[in-house]
Amino acid sequence: MNDQIEFLKARVGAGKMTRREFVGRVGALGVTAAAANTMLASAVQAAGPVKGGTLKIGSVGGESTNSLDPALAASQVPFHNLYQFGETLVNVEADGSLQNRLAEVVESTADAKTWTFKIRSGVDFHNGKALTAQDVLRTMERHSNEESKSGALGILRGIESMKAEGDTFSLTLATPNADLPYLMADYHLMIQPDGGFENPAAGVGTGAYMLEVDEPGVRHLWKKNPNYWDSSLGHVDEVEILAINDSTARMAALQSGQVHVVNRVDPKVAGLLGRAPGISVKNVGGPGHYVFIMHVDTAPFDNNDLRMALKYAINRQEMVDKILRGYGSVGNDMPINASYPLFDETIPQREYDPEKAAAHYKASGHDGSPIVLRVADGAFPGAVDAAALFQQSAKAAGIPLEIKREPNDGYWSEVWNKQPFCASYWGGRPVQDQMYSTAYLSTADWNDTRFKNADFDAKLLAARAELDTTKRKAMYSELGMMVRDEGGLICPMFNDYVDGVSDKVQGWIKDPTGDLMSGKVSQKVWLA
Amino acid sequence: MHPVLKLVSQRLALGILLLFSASVLIFVGTQILPGDVAQSILGQSATPEALANLRAELGLNDPPMTRYFNWLYAALHGDLGTALTNGQDIATSMGRRLGNTLFLAFWAAVISVPLAIFLGLLAVRYRDRWPDKLISGVTLASISIPEFLIGYLVVYFVAVKLGWFSSVAMINDGMSLLEKLNAIALPVFVLVLVVLAHMMRMTRAAILNVMQSAYIETAELKGLSSFNVIFRHAFPNAISPIVNVVMLNLAYLVVGVVVVEVVFVYPGMGQYLVDHVAKRDVPVVQACGLVFAGVYIGLNMIADIVSILANPRLRHPK
């Protein structure tokens, strides 16, 4: 019987048999309709990508104020737009490895200080111009020069000099960094013709799709680039990205078949959505985490006993169960989890322990006045509820928390990184060094816990230059423990990326670095 | 000068004055809000240098007075400028959104206004009997339920369960009129439900008021059919309050439907304005504010003129 099914599967795969015929024929062999459909899906999958069709994406985070300028991308729709038209030098793949895109070869000197990228030949921009190392140099200049307003400015700050020679682009760093190629995969760093100096928001790059319609906050239509250099990617003819910010409207659009994929499925409805016919919910654990942050230089949080008291007073598992409904994992008061390379699995998990919390609280000598925690729903989905849970679990340890609700509007400019204790969110970074350098180095702009520790800084820089991965892993483990036991971060949970996907979409890959396959959905999937 | 002309010119002058004060208020309001456009554009990922660079580029370092008068000077010359956030021409991008809003408001009005007046007349004709009670009950229920809830219910039952109409009312230039009407069917339905009760109740009350008059009794004694009495004799004298409430609802359909826009993902003015307020994009907020204020002032002026024309005593003052 198996031979017969295999034969039928091959026929479907080759397009010689319809779905209805297939289900009928295997049904005759005693297979139920549901099982037949699953077989069919795998048969189609195995047969390889089908070309054509319009992939419709319903995405959160699209505003009328959006621009296609890669330097300014800060929400979901602009992020996904970038991956339609643009490409970076290298890509971080779903398994955490690096893949060369516009760079053909990446090399460094033995001290990891000078990096050379050989630029791929025979690649054209959408405007017909050929890609050169000069374009790469100009792009990096635009994101790092004195007038830069780029979101990538911070990660390019360590570059001392850059140059383009022939078909190679090379840069020299002030201090060695073994992870530099990962930084080049940042989504802001889409290579644009002449660096995009002339018209940064033109939407012209080397990517698989070319701009057709640009209506910020409404929709973006992209057409297949006929001259795209990599024939293994970009199977659909058109990609339409609809900005659907309202969660209910987004789910309705998926259920009524108006879009094929949606991002940011609310954990509250994920179970229901997954049971709807023709739809599956895809979740993948990533580096993004929901946090409560304390300024370690501001009273009363300058007392490590008080910080430890609060860290022991939070029930992490309860938060994962009630706020994330299981779509996530518990945090350990450090910004790193198993989704990062070189993560040390042996670091002990911190548990909710009201007794230890009470002991630390007593040792801190705090006067018993309520500790003000500022929170808004915009900090992370369910932040207000999470704060209420925190208040209750802390109360059990005798620690009084006072929750102060702040407006969503202006939260990131007025509360976060300004007030000493508030709720926040971190999207995570591809490698540990980048996460720590972004938010825990003394000199970091976004050191939102005011964690300033000379010992930590020195170790972080040493780890960055260390090329032996065993030693490096041990160093990162030590750094993690420092943040966990001395830092101002209370990290109750890492959230999953939860997407809703129609069964028409084939070739889905779980990519832990972002929603909708980290922006690469349109490059890799096809429509059945 | 004819009194109507005089009134219109007075109203126009006042309207322009109002627009000015509205623009000042909007500008002051956006200055009071915490954070500025540079901070909002770059969001959580803003570095101090990037912020400083963006502020300088957008001219945010000029004093507020200078920025206001620069804007006013340009606006008086017909130049609304470009959006600070994405550099798009405001007149073009707002024009498209305004067109969409007017399209939705137009079709909602075309259905709801005649329907409301007809239902109002019907309610008077069968006053205190079951048709009156049914009409009042249904319309009052539909105005009492929040519009987003009606929207979600309609989406769930009509779009998801029955699959008759699209839950995403996104229209674009490539669509034919029929496709567009199909796309906006659900939001139009919700808007009709929302504005129906107000207009219908006002029609009913205004006509009932007139029905007490002696000349109605005369008409009835002449033996005219009761619907004829209502439509021919009572309705013309009740027009002025009805027009007023119709205009208020039309204004609502243009400026107040942001919730319906969000639920149905409709690319109208409301969402456009909200996005730009969230990003502190002052020139766009100013432009939208002027359009909205203009719509309100214009529609109210029309209402006043119509009530004067409908009233012989006001039309021919002694």
Side-chain angles (χ1 to χ4, degrees):
Chain A
M1 183 179 110
N2 269 339
D3 288 351
Q4 270 175 299
I5 292 177
E6 285 308 316
F7 167 74
L8 293 173
K9 271 162 104 171
R11 282 185 61 85
V12 176
K16 288 179 181 151
M17 188 186 252
T18 64
R19 192 196 71 87
R20 190 178 288 271
E21 282 173 327
F22 177 79
V23 174
R25 293 283 290 276
V26 296
L29 292 167
V31 177
T32 64
N37 271 322
T38 317
M39 276 181 195
L40 185 76
S42 64
V44 173
Q45 188 116 16
V50 179
K51 303 279 175 187
T54 300
L55 176 73
K56 294 190 175 191
I57 300 173
S59 174
V60 72
E63 298 95 27
S64 331
T65 49
N66 290 153
S67 153
L68 290 177
D69 181 354
L72 297 180
S75 51
Q76 262 73 21
V77 169
F79 169 82
H80 289 296
N81 277 329
L82 293 188
Y83 279 101
Q84 309 311 317
F85 74 83
E87 281 180 300
T88 46
L89 289 176
V90 292
N91 239 353
V92 181
E93 286 297 288
D95 60 1
S97 65
L98 279 174
Q99 191 195 40
N100 292 340
R101 299 305 300 164
L102 293 182
E104 227 164 11
V105 182
V106 182
E107 283 171 336
S108 81
T109 50
D111 60 356
K113 242 184 128 169
T114 302
W115 289 83
T116 311
F117 300 83
K118 182 172 180 288
I119 305 305
R120 196 173 291 279
S121 59
V123 177
D124 287 342
F125 286 109
H126 300 161
N127 62 7
K129 287 198 183 119
L131 167 75
T132 65
Q134 185 65 25
D135 295 313
V136 178
L137 175 69
R138 293 283 281 166
T139 300
M140 298 304 160
E141 274 175 5
R142 190 170 79 86
H143 288 274
S144 63
N145 68 12
E146 276 165 14
E147 289 100 58
S148 170
K149 50 202 180 187
S150 171
L153 180 58
I155 62 174
L156 294 179
R157 203 174 280 146
I159 296 176
E160 212 168 53
S161 65
M162 300 186 282
K163 62 174 190 289
E165 271 176 328
D167 61 354
T168 61
F169 162 74
S170 60
L171 55 87
T172 306
L173 297 164
T175 55
N177 187 351
D179 281 340
L180 181 100
Y182 281 96
L183 303 185
M184 292 292 129
D186 186 276
Y187 62 89
H188 298 99
L189 300 178
M190 297 293 172
I191 307 303
Q192 294 176 282
D194 196 33
F197 272 96
E198 206 169 296
N199 185 358
V204 171
T206 59
Y209 297 95
M210 305 191 337
L211 182 64
E212 189 76 14
V213 177
D214 177 28
E215 287 181 47
V218 183
R219 67 178 199 133
H220 301 269
L221 185 66
W222 303 90
K223 273 220 158 69
K224 181 76 207 278
N225 172 7
N227 302 320
Y228 187 52
W229 59 273
D230 187 346
S231 60
S232 68
L233 295 178
H235 306 304
V236 295
D237 287 339
E238 282 182 329
V239 182
E240 189 174 20
I241 300 179
L242 305 180
I244 311 182
N245 294 314
D246 184 66
S247 174
T248 313
R250 207 161 58 247
M251 300 310 128
L254 177 67
Q255 283 177 281
S256 59
Q258 281 162 351
V259 296
H260 296 113
V261 292
V262 295
N263 55 7
R264 206 59 81 71
V265 175
D266 187 342
K268 281 188 204 124
V269 301
L272 283 172
L273 191 70
R275 286 203 292 278
I279 290 169
S280 56
V281 171
K282 311 268 189 192
N283 63 306
V284 55
H289 44 296
Y290 296 171
V291 298
F292 296 104
I293 45 175
M294 308 173 276
H295 286 177
V296 300
D297 61 354
T298 313
F301 309 104
D302 52 353
N303 182 325
N304 197 36
D305 269 310
L306 185 85
R307 298 203 294 270
M308 288 305 277
L310 288 169
K311 287 176 185 176
Y312 277 116
I314 193 163
N315 191 340
R316 295 173 182 75
Q317 191 57 50
E318 184 186 29
M319 296 238 177
V320 171
D321 294 342
K322 292 186 177 160
I323 304 296
L324 297 175
R325 310 269 173 148
Y327 289 96
S329 54
V330 291
N332 198 13
D333 297 340
M334 46 193 258
I336 305 301
N337 68 352
S339 73
Y340 283 89
L342 305 179
F343 173 69
D344 181 5
E345 307 271 357
T346 60
I347 296 176
Q349 173 64 45
R350 179 165 287 144
E351 305 285 350
Y352 173 50
D353 191 334
E355 277 162 35
K356 271 192 194 159
H360 277 291
Y361 184 63
K362 203 162 162 241
S364 76
H366 187 66
D367 59 7
S369 58
I371 299 165
V372 177
L373 169 61
R374 286 167 204 271
V375 65
D377 261 325
F380 58 82
V384 176
D385 297 338
L389 290 176
F390 190 11
Q391 189 182 34
Q392 290 307 313
S393 60
K395 200 173 158 197
I399 305 172
L401 280 188
E402 182 187 327
I403 296 174
K404 191 155 187 298
R405 241 188 121 157
E406 299 280 349
N408 281 342
D409 195 58
Y411 188 80
W412 299 115
S413 54
E414 301 301 307
V415 179
W416 176 76
N417 218 356
K418 291 223 165 69
Q419 296 294 343
F421 191 25
C422 71
S424 177
Y425 171 71
W426 272 101
R429 296 292 183 272
V431 286
Q432 299 197 34
D433 173 65
Q434 206 187 338
M435 187 65 233
Y436 285 130
S437 317
T438 309
Y440 299 90
L441 197 65
S442 299
T443 50
D445 294 321
W446 307 326
N447 190 335
D448 57 7
T449 54
R450 307 281 187 270
F451 182 66
K452 286 176 185 156
N453 185 324
D455 198 19
F456 179 91
D457 293 356
K459 279 218 172 70
L460 184 60
L461 293 185
R464 191 185 283 174
E466 180 61 62
L467 294 174
D468 180 338
T469 48
T470 323
K471 280 190 197 157
R472 232 175 148 205
K473 188 171 170 180
M475 290 164 111
Y476 282 134
S477 175
E478 230 178 299
L479 291 167
M481 287 301 282
M482 285 167 103
V483 172
R484 178 179 177 273
D485 294 338
E486 294 162 44
L489 173 77
I490 303 173
C491 174
M493 52 195 152
F494 283 82
N495 64 302
D496 283 2
Y497 293 106
V498 190
D499 299 325
V501 183
S502 153
D503 288 352
K504 289 199 184 83
V505 175
Q506 304 284 323
W508 186 272
I509 295 164
K510 288 198 169 186
D511 190 327
T513 50
D515 61 27
L516 301 180
M517 299 170 60
S518 198
K520 286 121 192 158
V521 60
S522 62
Q523 295 170 22
K524 294 187 178 169
V525 304
W526 60 95
L527 297 171
Chain B
M1 200 193 220
H2 193 276
V4 173
L5 269 181
K6 196 174 156 203
L7 185 107
V8 170
S9 46
Q10 268 178 355
R11 281 304 177 87
L12 271 178
L14 269 176
I16 289 166
L17 203 67
L18 266 175
L19 282 180
F20 267 115
S21 24
S23 79
V24 172
L25 277 179
I26 296 164
F27 187 79
V28 171
T30 47
Q31 296 304 310
I32 295 171
L33 289 171
D36 69 351
V37 60
Q39 176 79 52
S40 309
I41 293 176
L42 298 174
Q44 193 194 3
S45 64
T47 60
E49 293 110 302
L51 273 180
N53 290 334
L54 192 57
R55 285 202 179 110
E57 188 188 306
L58 298 176
L60 297 178
N61 296 328
D62 297 338
M65 287 291 269
T66 319
R67 275 185 284 145
Y68 177 74
F69 283 107
N70 283 345
W71 171 83
L72 188 65
Y73 179 81
L76 289 177
H77 288 74
D79 175 16
L80 291 173
T82 54
L84 296 179
T85 43
N86 59 6
Q88 291 207 341
D89 182 54
I90 294 175
T92 323
S93 53
M94 189 178 70
R96 199 187 295 140
R97 291 299 192 92
L98 181 63
N100 288 347
T101 286
L102 293 178
F103 183 70
L104 183 65
F106 172 78
W107 286 104
V110 159
I111 295 172
S112 61
V113 173
L115 188 63
I117 291 173
F118 175 71
L119 289 178
L121 297 178
L122 211 62
V124 173
R125 168 70 183 78
Y126 298 104
R127 181 181 21 176
D128 295 333
R129 285 159 56 192
W130 69 265
D132 180 26
K133 290 190 173 139
L134 182 75
I135 291 169
S136 291
V138 169
T139 52
L140 284 179
S142 72
I143 201 177
S144 308
I145 305 172
E147 59 208 74
F148 73 89
L149 185 64
I150 304 183
Y152 285 152
L153 289 175
V154 167
V155 165
Y156 181 73
F157 288 108
V158 183
V160 174
K161 287 283 150 191
L162 297 171
W164 287 353
F165 292 104
S166 137
S167 71
V168 175
M170 215 172 258
I171 59 171
N172 59 60
D173 298 338
M175 293 164 92
S176 68
L177 180 65
L178 216 62
E179 283 171 332
K180 283 186 181 177
L181 289 179
N182 188 46
I184 65 166
L186 294 186
V188 164
F189 176 70
V190 171
L191 287 177
V192 166
L193 283 185
V194 169
V195 296
L196 202 58
H198 195 193
M199 292 190 284
M200 172 269 167
R201 297 290 294 178
M202 189 52 103
T203 308
R204 182 179 176 276
I207 293 178
L208 278 182
N209 201 22
V210 178
M211 293 293 276
Q212 315 293 329
S213 320
Y215 79 95
I216 296 293
E217 209 172 334
T218 314
E220 276 167 2
L221 291 175
K222 277 196 298 191
L224 291 178
S225 78
S226 57
F227 199 79
N228 232 344
V229 172
I230 296 168
F231 190 68
R232 282 281 179 75
H233 295 261
F235 184 60
N237 278 323
I239 265 187
S240 147
I242 295 173
V243 166
N244 262 308
V245 75
V246 166
M247 287 305 160
L248 271 182
N249 278 291
L250 290 188
Y252 166 81
L253 285 177
V254 176
V255 311
V257 298
V258 62
V259 175
V260 173
E261 283 178 16
V262 169
V263 169
F264 291 101
V265 202
Y266 187 77
M269 282 281 277
Q271 190 58 51
Y272 182 74
L273 175 62
V274 169
D275 283 348
H276 286 89
V277 171
K279 288 279 172 354
R280 315 286 184 259
D281 197 333
V282 181
V284 182
V285 176
Q286 292 273 35
C288 290
L290 283 190
V291 169
F292 283 167
V295 167
Y296 249 100
I297 293 168
L299 287 175
N300 276 305
M301 198 152 71
I302 293 175
D304 287 350
I305 294 168
V306 170
S307 18
I308 290 168
L309 294 181
N311 188 336
R313 271 174 304 193
L314 290 177
R315 208 162 50 211
H316 308 288
K318 288 212 174 106

